[in-house]
C-alpha cells in the first residue's frame, strides 16, 4: 500500500472489513500440519449454533486471538480450530418456538421432518455467531471449521459410545435424574442450576399402625409423600430409641410403610424423622437401594400426579401440594408449617423448577475416567491457571457421580442402540438389520439423543479427524492451551480431560486458562433487567474493534472480574487515535531515505528509546506467556502513550527539523522508523486492524504484520545507563512543569531554572541535554548553582543526583497566590465535610451498600490528598512573603 499521508482521523469500519478480507484471502490464518515450525494449537470453546456474540464471548476470543497472533509472530505454526456446537435443547427450543408461531409442534411434523427443519434453520441462521467472531478479528483457521453434528464428528461420537459400552463404561439403568417438565428431558447435575427459593417446611403426622401415637416427619415436598415407601430415623437419635411401633400408616394413601434406621438421617434438621421417597429424591433413592425399598413413581413427564397418586391424579405438582396440605389439615395430621429457604434446582435452559424423578437412562461410569483426569493435573501434565481453580477441579473430580448422557429430545446425536423383543440390546457402529441373538428383523431404535456435552467432550481430537490417525492429530494434539470461563470447568473441561486421556492417551491440553466474568463498572453482574448489558457488536460499531479488544485485555487480570464500562472503552479509543496521530507524524518524516549514516554517535534519546522498546517487548512477551494479559497490555500502553508519544516524539523534533545537519536528521529518521516498526508489532496481538493499516504504510515493511517477527530485545541495544540518564532528564522537565502547575504559572510563560548537581558526570549529562530541557520545560534561562547558595524565593524539588530551583519572583504575585490557595483550601474543606460525617455515622456504615461506602472513602482520600498538596504550596508561598 502507498505509504502516503494518513487520513486525519482513523475510521475503523472500513479498515476492519478490508484487512480481515485480506487476511482470509491470503490464507494467513491457515495452519500447515507439514510445517517444521513448533506447533501451537487452541480449540475454540464452540459457541452454540443458536448464539449471538456477547461480552463474555468477546473476552474469551480476544484472549485466544492475542495468544495466536503473538505465537505466530514468534515463529510457531499456529492452529486455532473453530466451530460451533449443535446445542441440543437450545436449538430444539428455537425451532419449536418457530413451529408454535405456525400453530404446529414437533409431533405434528414427526421426527424426520422436524430434524430436516432444524438443519434448514441451521443453514439459514446458524452461522451468525461465526460472522460476529470474524468482526472481532478472530484469526481462526476457518478452512477447518467444524460442527458437532457434522459427518466426521458424528462418526467420532459413535465410535466413542460403542467403545465405552463395550468396556462396560456406558450402561443403561434406573436412576434418579433431574427432569425438566418443560423441555421434557433429563438434565445432568451441572445443568440443574440451584437457586435460593422461599418455601415451606411442613410437619406431618404419620400414625403408627397400632394406633399408639405417630411420628412427625418434616418435609419441604409434601406432594411426593404419595410415593413414600418408608420413614427413616437415625439409629443414634435418642428420641427414637423406643418407638411404639415399627410400621406407620402413610396418610392420605393409607398404605403401611416400615420405619427404618439409617445413619444418613440428620438429627439436627426438622424432626429427625425422614420420609423416604426413592422415586423422587436422589438421597432417598440411595437409602431405598440400601434397604431394598420399592420405588413408586407418582408423577408423569409433565410433573403431574399419575394414576399411582390416587385421588390426586391429574393435578400439577404445585396444585397437588396445596390439595395434600389442605387434606392433611382437615384430618388433623398437619402439625405446623414453617417458612424455609432452600436450594432448588432449575433447568439451565428454560429455568423451570427441576423434578427429581426415577427414570431409565443411559450413563457413563465416570469413576475410572475421572481418576485419570485427576492424576493428569496432580502430576503437572495439565496446568490450571490461575492455580486457585485447581482445588475446585480436585473437589469436583473426587465427588463425581455417574454422568447421565441421555436426553429425551430429537435434535442431537441419536444413541446407537436398538432393542429386540427378545430383550437383546444391540449397540453398534453400523445400523443393525437383524438381532444377533434371535435373528428377528423387527428392531426398535433408541429414541433418546446424547447430552450435548458428550460430543463437546471429544472436541480437541474429533475436530482433528479422529478416529483416523491424521497429520493434524500428529502435529497439533495435545493442544497447547484452552481458554475458557470458570462456569464450564466441570461441564466441559473435566469431560474433555477424561475423554482425551481415554482415547488419545494424553491430556488434551497443556494449560487451561480460566478467565473471570465481565461485569459492569460497579462490579455488578450484567443483566437485561438491570439495563447494564454491554453489547460487543454495538460498542465495536461505536468505538472500533481494536478499542474494545484492548480494553478487555487491559482489564483481564488473573482471578479478578473484568469491570467494563463504555467510558473505559472510549478511553482506549483515544489510545487508538493517539497511535494514529503518532503514525501521521512518523510517516510524514519517513519519506525518502531512512538508512542510518555510518559512524555517527547516537543521541541519548535514541539509545534510550531503543533500549526501552526492547525491554517492553520482553516484558510483554513474558506476561502473555504467563497469561497476565493486563500486564502485557499495560506495559505496551505505557510505552506507546507516555514514552514514545509524549517523550520521544517531542525529544526528536529538534534533530528532525534541523536541516543544517542532514546526517543527524537521517539517523533520527532511521531510529524513528525502527522503533515505530517495533511498536506496531507490539500492539498487533491486541489491536490487529489499526496495526495492519499502519504496517502497510510503513516504508520498507513487507507482507502482513501478522507474519512480522516479534521485536525481542537486542542485547547490543539494552542500555541501562541511557535509561537512567533519560529518566533523570524527564524528571527534571516534569519537575519544572509540576512547579508551574502548583504555583499557578502560565504554561505559555518561560521560567528560569537553576540546577545543582554535585557529581560532575551528572552535570555534564544534563548540560549535554540543555536543548531538550530548555525546549520541553520552556526555560528562559538555565544556570548552575554557584557559591552563593540557593536562589531566593524559589520553588525547589530534590531528585536523585540533582536539585532544581525555579525562582518565582516576578512570575508569581505571592499575596494573590496565598489568597487563592486559602480560598481553594476552604472550598475543599467544605466539600469533604459531609463525606467525613457520613463515614463517622455508624448507621450509614451499617446500612449503606459496600460500594457506596467505598465510594465515599475514595472521595475523602482524593480530597484530602489535594488539601495536603495545597497546604504544602501555601506554606511555601508564606515563606516567600
Amino acid at each position: 500500500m502507498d505509504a502516503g499521508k494518513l487520513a486525519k482521523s482513523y475510521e475503523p469500519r472500513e479498515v476492519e472489513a478490508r484487512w480481515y478480507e485480506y487476511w482470509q484471502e491470503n490464507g494467513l490464518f491457515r495452519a500447515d500440519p507439514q510445517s517444521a515450525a513448533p506447533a501451537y494449537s487452541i480449540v475454540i470453546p464452540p459457541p452454540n449454533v443458536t448464539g449471538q456474540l456477547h461480552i463474555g464471548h468477546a473476552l474469551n476470543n480476544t484472549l485466544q486471538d492475542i495468544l495466536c497472533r503473538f505465537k505466530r509472530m514468534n515463529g510457531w505454526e499456529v492452529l486455532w480450530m473453530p466451530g460451533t456446537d449443535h446445542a441440543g435443547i437450545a436449538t430444539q427450543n428455537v425451532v419449536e418456538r418457530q413451529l408454535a408461531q405456525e400453530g404446529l409442534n414437533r409431533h405434528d411434523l414427526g421426527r424426520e421432518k422436524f430434524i430436516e427443519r432444524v438443519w434448514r434453520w441451521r443453514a439459514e441462521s446458524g452461522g451468525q455467531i461465526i460472522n460476529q467472531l470474524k468482526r472481532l478479528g478472530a484469526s481462526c483457521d476457518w478452512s477447518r471449521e467444524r460442527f458437532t453434528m457434522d459427518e466426521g464428528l458424528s462418526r467420532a461420537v459413535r465410535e466413542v459410545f460403542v467403545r465405552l459400552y463395550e468396556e462396560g463404561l456406558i450402561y443403561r439403568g434406573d436412576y434418579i435424574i433431574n427432569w425438566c417438565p418443560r423441555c421434557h428431558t433429563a438434565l445432568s447435575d451441572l445443568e440443574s442450576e440451584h437457586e435460593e427459593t422461599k418455601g415451606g417446611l411442613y410437619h406431618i403426622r404419620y400414625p403408627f399402625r397400632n394406633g399408639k401415637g405417630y411420628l412427625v416427619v418434616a418435609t419441604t415436598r409434601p406432594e411426593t409423600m404419595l410415593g413414600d415407601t418408608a420413614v427413616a430415623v437415625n439409629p443414634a437419635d435418642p428420641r427414637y430409641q423406643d418407638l411404639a411401633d415399627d410400621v406407620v400408616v402413610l396418610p392420605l394413601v393409607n398404605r403401611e410403610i416400615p420405619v427404618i434406621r439409617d445413619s444418613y438421617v440428620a438429627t439436627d434438621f426438622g424432626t429427625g424423622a425422614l420420609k423416604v421417597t426413592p422415586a423422587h429424591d436422589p438421597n432417598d433413592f440411595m437409602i431405598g437401594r440400601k434397604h431394598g425399598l420399592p420405588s413408586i413413581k407418582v408423577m408423569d413427564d409433565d410433573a403431574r400426579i399419575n394414576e399411582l397418586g390416587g385421588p390426586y391424579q391429574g393435578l400439577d405438582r404445585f396444585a397437588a401440594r396445596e390439595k395434600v396440605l389442605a387434606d392433611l389439615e382437615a384430618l388433623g395430621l398437619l402439625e405446623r408449617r414453617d417458612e424455609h429457604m432452600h436450594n432448588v434446582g432449575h433447568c439451565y435452559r428454560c429455568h423451570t423448577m427441576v423434578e427429581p424423578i426415577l427414570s431409565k437412562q443411559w450413563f457413563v461410569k465416570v469413576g475410572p475416567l475421572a481418576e485419570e483426569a485427576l492424576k493428569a493435573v496432580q502430576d503437572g501434565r495439565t496446568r490450571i491457571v490461575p492455580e486457585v481453580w485447581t482445588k475446585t477441579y480436585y473437589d469436583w473430580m473426587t465427588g463425581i457421580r455417574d454422568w447421565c448422557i441421555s436426553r429425551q429430545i430429537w435434535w442431537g446425536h441419536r444413541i446407537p442402540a436398538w432393542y429386540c423383543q427378545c430383550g437383546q440390546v444391540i449397540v453398534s457402529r453400523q445400523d443393525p438389520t437383524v438381532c444377533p441373538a434371535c435373528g428377528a428383523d423387527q428392531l426398535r431404535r433408541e429414541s433418546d439423543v446424547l447430552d450435548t456435552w458428550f460430543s463437546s467432550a471429544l472436541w480437541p481430537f474429533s475436530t482433528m479427524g479422529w478416529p483416523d490417525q491424521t497429520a493434524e492429530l500428529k502435529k497439533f494434539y495435545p493442544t497447547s492451551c484452552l481458554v475458557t470461563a470458570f462456569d464450564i470447568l466441570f461441564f466441559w473441561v473435566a469431560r474433555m480431560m477424561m475423554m482425551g486421556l481415554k482415547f488419545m492417551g494424553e491430556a488434551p491440553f497443556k494449560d487451561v486458562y480460566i478467565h473471570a466474568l465481565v461485569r459492569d463498572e460497579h462490579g455488578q453482574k450484567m443483566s437485561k433487567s438491570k439495563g447494564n448489558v454491554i453489547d460487543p457488536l454495538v460498542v465495536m460499531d461505536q468505538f472500533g474493534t481494536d478499542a474494545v479488544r484492548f480494553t478487555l485485555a487491559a482489564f483481564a487480570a488473573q482471578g479478578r472480574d473484568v469491570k467494563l464500562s463504555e467510558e473505559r472503552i472510549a478511553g482506549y479509543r483515544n489510545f487508538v487515535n493517539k497511535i494514529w496521530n503518532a503514525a501521521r507524524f512518523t510517516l510524514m518524516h519517513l519519506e525518502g531515505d531512512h538508512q542510518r549514516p555510518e559512524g555517527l554517535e547516537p543521541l541519548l534519546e535514541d539509545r534510550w528509546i531503543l533500549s526501552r522498546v526492547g525491554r517492553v517487548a520482553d516484558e510483554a512477551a513474558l506476561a502473555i506467556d504467563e497469561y497476565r494479559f493486563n500486564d502485557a497490555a499495560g506495559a505496551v500502553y505505557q510505552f506507546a502513550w507516555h514514552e514514545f508519544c509524549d517523550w520521544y516524539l517531542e525529544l526528536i523534533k529538534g534533530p528532525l527539523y534541523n536541516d543544517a545537519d542532514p546526517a543527524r536528521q537521517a539517523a533520527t529518521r532511521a531510529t524513528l522508523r525502527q522503533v515505530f516498526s517495533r511498536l506496531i508489532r507490539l500492539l498487533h496481538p491486541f489491536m490487529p486492524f489499526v496495526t495492519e493499516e499502519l504496517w502497510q504504510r510503513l516504508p520498507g515493511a513487507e507482507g502482513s504484520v501478522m507474519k512480522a517477527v516479534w521485536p525481542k530485545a537486542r542485547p547490543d541495544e539494552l542500555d541501562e545507563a541511557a535509561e537512567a540518564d533519560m529518566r533523570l532528564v524527564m524528571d527534571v522537565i516534569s519537575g519544572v512543569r509540576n512547579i508551574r502547575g502548583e504555583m499557578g504559572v502560565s504554561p505559555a510563560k518561560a521560567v528560569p531554572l537553576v540546577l545543582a548537581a554535585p557529581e560532575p558526570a551528572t552535570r555534564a549529562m544534563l548540560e549535554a541535554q540543555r536543548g531538550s530541557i530548555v525546549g520541553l520545560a520552556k526555560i528562559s534561562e538555565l544556570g548552575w548553582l554557584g557559591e552563593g547558595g540557593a536562589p531566593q524565593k524559589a520553588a525547589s524539588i530534590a531528585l536523585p543526583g540533582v536539585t532544581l530551583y525555579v525562582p518565582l519572583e516576578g512570575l508569581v504575585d505571592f499575596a494573590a497566590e496565598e489568597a487563592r490557595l486559602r480560598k481553594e483550601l476552604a472550598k475543599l474543606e467544605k466539600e469533604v465535610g459531609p463525606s467525613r460525617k457520613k463515614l463517622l455515622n455508624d448507621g450509614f456504615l451499617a446500612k449503606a451498600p459496600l460500594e457506596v461506602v467505598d465510594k465515599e472513602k475514595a472521595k475523602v482520600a482524593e480530597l484530602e490528598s489535594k488539601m495536603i498538596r495545597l497546604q504544602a504550596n501555601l506554606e511555601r508561598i508564606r515563606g516567600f512573603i
Side-chain angles (χ1 to χ4, degrees):
M1 179 177 282
D2 181 12
K5 290 183 179 178
L6 286 178
K8 189 172 182 181
S9 60
Y10 175 57
E11 297 297 335
R13 183 172 283 260
E14 183 274 330
V15 168
E16 291 168 10
R18 175 159 43 84
W19 288 120
Y20 201 87
E21 184 179 0
Y22 166 82
W23 293 329
Q24 284 202 273
E25 285 180 353
N26 287 275
L28 296 178
F29 303 156
R30 286 186 192 155
D32 179 7
Q34 307 303 329
S35 167
Y40 185 85
S41 56
I42 286 182
V43 291
I44 199 169
N48 286 354
V49 70
T50 58
Q52 285 212 14
L53 192 76
H54 58 63
I55 201 68
H57 289 133
L59 172 65
N60 180 276
N61 288 281
T62 292
L63 300 184
Q64 290 177 81
D65 196 48
I66 289 169
L67 289 168
C68 290
R69 290 178 183 271
F70 170 72
K71 289 295 182 179
R72 287 190 191 100
M73 298 176 82
N74 279 277
W76 296 73
E77 188 64 30
V78 174
L79 170 61
W80 185 7
M81 179 69 76
T84 49
D85 189 274
H86 66 279
I89 296 173
T91 305
Q92 180 156 316
N93 281 345
V94 167
V95 178
E96 287 197 87
R97 282 196 294 271
Q98 286 184 349
L99 289 175
Q101 290 172 357
E102 301 167 22
L104 298 170
N105 62 46
R106 63 181 160 126
H107 300 285
D108 295 328
L109 269 67
R111 186 166 191 144
E112 262 186 52
K113 294 290 184 187
F114 178 76
I115 297 299
E116 286 176 15
R117 179 74 179 251
V118 180
W119 277 109
R120 191 164 76 240
W121 173 86
R122 192 247 174 183
E124 293 167 358
S125 308
Q128 185 176 31
I129 194 163
I130 295 298
N131 293 325
Q132 292 167 347
L133 288 170
K134 290 177 180 178
R135 276 210 57 199
L136 188 67
S139 59
C140 299
D141 185 346
W142 298 111
S143 68
R144 300 175 184 275
E145 183 184 340
R146 304 306 299 268
F147 178 53
T148 49
M149 288 278 286
D150 70 28
E151 188 178 343
L153 268 68
S154 295
R155 177 172 160 238
V157 166
R158 190 154 174 172
E159 179 65 28
V160 165
F161 186 95
V162 173
R163 285 198 202 177
L164 291 174
Y165 181 81
E166 290 172 344
E167 293 181 33
L169 292 173
I170 282 182
Y171 65 93
R172 187 169 183 254
D174 289 326
Y175 213 81
I176 285 286
I177 48 97
N178 305 296
W179 179 260
C180 175
R182 158 65 184 79
C183 297
H184 269 213
T185 189
L187 303 171
S188 72
D189 288 348
L190 295 170
E191 290 166 328
S192 176
E193 297 179 341
H194 284 77
E195 300 173 11
E196 254 324 276
T197 304
K198 186 177 180 180
L201 185 63
Y202 307 96
H203 291 67
I204 302 168
R205 295 172 177 173
Y206 283 48
F208 286 118
R209 177 181 54 181
N210 61 13
K212 297 179 180 178
Y214 45 80
L215 275 178
V216 178
V217 169
T219 180
T220 59
R221 307 194 63 222
E223 67 278 11
T224 65
M225 69 183 291
L226 304 172
D228 285 359
T229 55
V231 172
V233 295
N234 192 303
D237 194 328
R239 292 171 291 182
Y240 303 116
Q241 295 302 308
D242 299 306
L243 293 175
D245 197 355
D246 58 3
V247 175
V248 293
V249 178
L250 180 62
L252 307 179
V253 178
N254 295 321
R255 185 172 68 246
E256 292 184 357
I257 58 176
V259 179
I260 62 173
R261 286 167 169 76
D262 196 289
S263 57
Y264 168 79
V265 181
T267 58
D268 57 353
F269 178 77
T271 63
L274 175 76
K275 61 187 278 308
V276 183
T277 321
H280 291 280
D281 182 276
N283 298 312
D284 292 4
F285 177 76
M286 300 307 294
I287 293 173
R289 271 192 170 180
K290 182 177 173 183
H291 293 270
L293 300 174
S295 295
I296 302 174
K297 183 178 172 183
V298 296
M299 286 188 206
D300 63 18
D301 289 350
D302 294 316
R304 291 183 176 276
I305 304 300
N306 63 20
E307 69 281 359
L308 297 179
Y312 304 95
Q313 182 178 356
L315 290 177
D316 168 80
R317 54 185 165 164
F318 301 116
R321 177 179 297 180
E322 295 310 313
K323 175 73 170 146
V324 162
L325 289 171
D327 290 350
L328 288 169
E329 195 156 26
L331 293 169
L333 297 176
L334 181 62
E335 189 164 284
R336 76 171 198 268
R337 59 178 89 194
D338 301 329
E339 282 192 1
H340 180 65
M341 295 297 293
H342 56 138
N343 273 325
V344 178
H346 290 73
C347 174
Y348 79 116
R349 282 294 174 203
C350 68
H351 302 293
T352 300
M353 189 179 290
V354 163
E355 187 61 45
I357 209 162
L358 186 67
S359 177
K360 198 168 282 293
Q361 300 286 341
W362 289 88
F363 294 87
V364 174
K365 193 181 293 182
V366 293
L369 303 173
E371 188 179 339
E372 291 304 311
L374 189 60
K375 285 179 188 172
V377 174
Q378 288 172 333
D379 63 25
R381 280 173 283 164
T382 294
R383 179 177 63 131
I384 299 176
V385 182
E387 205 272 334
V388 66
W389 289 107
T390 304
K391 183 180 183 303
T392 309
Y393 176 85
Y394 289 167
D395 289 346
W396 190 75
M397 294 301 275
T398 50
I400 194 168
R401 283 172 51 183
D402 284 358
W403 172 17
C404 177
I405 55 171
S406 44
R407 297 291 180 268
Q408 290 68 48
I409 58 175
W410 288 353
W411 173 243
H413 293 101
R414 198 165 176 181
I415 290 174
W418 288 259
Y419 305 101
C420 180
Q421 288 183 344
C422 73
Q424 183 77 9
V425 178
I426 305 129
V427 170
S428 175
R429 291 171 179 82
Q430 288 81 37
D431 293 4
T433 54
V434 296
C435 173
C438 71
D441 60 2
Q442 297 298 308
L443 303 178
R444 178 176 60 85
R445 176 81 186 260
E446 170 65 74
S447 60
D448 289 357
V449 302
L450 287 165
D451 176 14
T452 300
W453 296 104
F454 190 92
S455 51
S456 298
L458 320 183
W459 188 252
F461 56 91
S462 63
T463 51
M464 295 186 198
W466 188 91
D468 296 333
Q469 297 306 305
T470 63
E472 285 79 6
L473 281 170
K474 185 176 179 182
K475 178 77 174 176
F476 295 111
Y477 188 93
T479 65
S480 308
C481 175
L482 179 77
V483 178
T484 189
F486 68 85
D487 55 346
I488 55 173
L489 178 61
F490 314 125
F491 271 125
W492 189 45
V493 178
R495 287 165 178 171
M496 283 191 290
M497 288 287 287
M498 290 189 270
M499 294 300 190
L501 286 158
K502 175 67 178 172
F503 291 97
M504 294 297 297
E506 291 183 86
F509 11 74
K510 297 181 181 76
D511 288 344
V512 177
Y513 174 69
I514 308 289
H515 63 74
L517 291 175
V518 183
R519 297 182 178 272
D520 72 10
E521 60 188 310
H522 306 297
Q524 298 296 309
K525 189 173 181 179
M526 291 187 184
S527 69
K528 289 180 182 177
S529 60
K530 291 179 183 174
N532 63 347
V533 172
I534 293 178
D535 184 334
L537 298 169
V538 171
V539 290
M540 284 193 288
D541 282 341
Q542 190 175 353
F543 303 110
T545 300
D546 287 327
V548 174
R549 287 172 56 114
F550 202 94
T551 308
L552 291 168
F555 286 92
Q558 284 186 19
R560 288 209 307 270
D561 287 337
V562 175
K563 293 183 180 179
L564 192 66
S565 67
E566 289 195 10
E567 289 75 18
R568 284 173 174 164
I569 300 171
Y572 285 107
R573 178 194 52 192
N574 295 340
F575 178 50
V576 177
N577 290 337
K578 182 91 168 177
I579 298 299
W580 185 261
N581 290 330
R584 292 182 71 223
F585 174 86
T586 298
L587 295 173
M588 181 175 66
H589 290 283
L590 296 187
E591 295 172 2
D593 182 32
H594 51 267
Q595 299 299 312
R596 187 186 304 279
E598 294 290 334
L600 192 66
E601 186 70 25
L603 296 175
L604 174 63
E605 52 263 37
D606 291 337
R607 288 164 42 222
W608 164 71
I609 200 70
L610 287 169
S611 185
R612 287 296 303 140
V613 74
R615 287 197 199 281
V616 170
D618 285 359
E619 184 182 334
L622 179 63
I624 292 173
D625 278 334
E626 294 179 348
Y627 308 108
R628 293 182 289 108
F629 296 97
N630 61 315
D631 290 338
V636 177
Y637 176 92
Q638 170 70 25
F639 173 78
W641 188 300
H642 299 294
E643 296 180 82
F644 181 76
C645 294
D646 287 354
W647 285 104
Y648 182 68
L649 294 186
E650 293 301 317
L651 287 163
I652 64 173
K653 284 180 178 177
L656 280 178
Y657 293 126
N658 185 4
D659 294 335
D661 193 347
R664 179 59 66 194
Q665 274 186 326
T668 301
R669 281 201 304 269
T671 303
L672 176 60
R673 187 207 170 280
Q674 193 176 353
V675 174
F676 189 66
S677 165
R678 296 186 196 180
L679 176 57
I680 292 173
R681 285 177 272 163
L682 289 178
L683 288 166
H684 176 70
F686 306 94
M687 304 193 312
F689 295 109
V690 70
T691 51
E692 187 70 80
E693 178 75 5
L694 298 178
W695 181 261
Q696 298 293 335
R697 309 284 189 130
L698 189 65
E702 296 179 358
S704 168
V705 68
M706 275 186 65
K707 295 294 185 180
V709 177
W710 181 262
K712 295 176 183 176
R714 301 177 185 178
D716 61 315
E717 290 178 348
L718 293 177
D719 191 332
E720 290 186 12
E723 291 184 47
D725 288 348
M726 184 52 68
R727 201 157 43 240
L728 186 56
V729 171
M730 292 189 292
D731 286 346
V732 168
I733 295 167
S734 298
V736 175
R737 290 172 175 172
N738 289 341
I739 289 172
R740 276 179 189 282
E742 290 170 359
M743 294 293 107
V745 178
S746 166
K749 193 179 289 188
V751 298
L753 174 64
V754 177
L755 298 175
E759 293 295 329
T762 303
R763 177 167 177 163
M765 185 277 292
L766 291 171
E767 186 61 45
Q769 300 305 309
R770 172 182 284 269
S772 295
I773 295 170
V774 167
L776 296 183
K778 204 168 181 65
I779 302 300
S780 58
E781 180 183 353
L782 173 60
W784 294 90
L785 190 66
E787 295 295 328
Q792 296 296 307
K793 297 185 178 180
S796 65
I797 294 178
L799 300 170
V802 64
T803 302
L804 54 99
Y805 300 90
V806 176
L808 296 171
E809 195 153 26
L811 291 170
V812 176
D813 181 334
F814 296 128
E817 182 63 11
E818 182 190 24
R820 184 189 74 79
L821 289 170
R822 283 180 179 278
K823 186 176 178 182
E824 185 66 22
L825 276 166
K827 179 184 171 186
L828 290 176
E829 189 66 50
K830 188 176 180 181
E831 193 176 340
V832 79
S835 294
R836 282 175 173 164
K837 193 174 180 181
K838 281 183 184 178
L839 293 175
L840 291 172
N841 184 327
D842 291 338
F844 170 77
L845 294 173
K847 293 177 184 177
L850 186 60
E851 60 266 23
V852 173
V853 174
D854 287 344
K855 191 174 179 181
E856 288 297 330
K857 286 180 179 178
K859 181 180 178 182
V860 168
E862 183 183 356
L863 291 172
E864 287 180 344
S865 177
K866 282 183 183 178
M867 292 166 67
I868 289 168
R869 291 198 304 273
L870 289 177
Q871 189 63 47
N873 290 340
L874 181 60
E875 294 302 323
R876 186 185 283 169
I877 288 292
R878 283 174 177 159
F880 298 153
I881 296 175

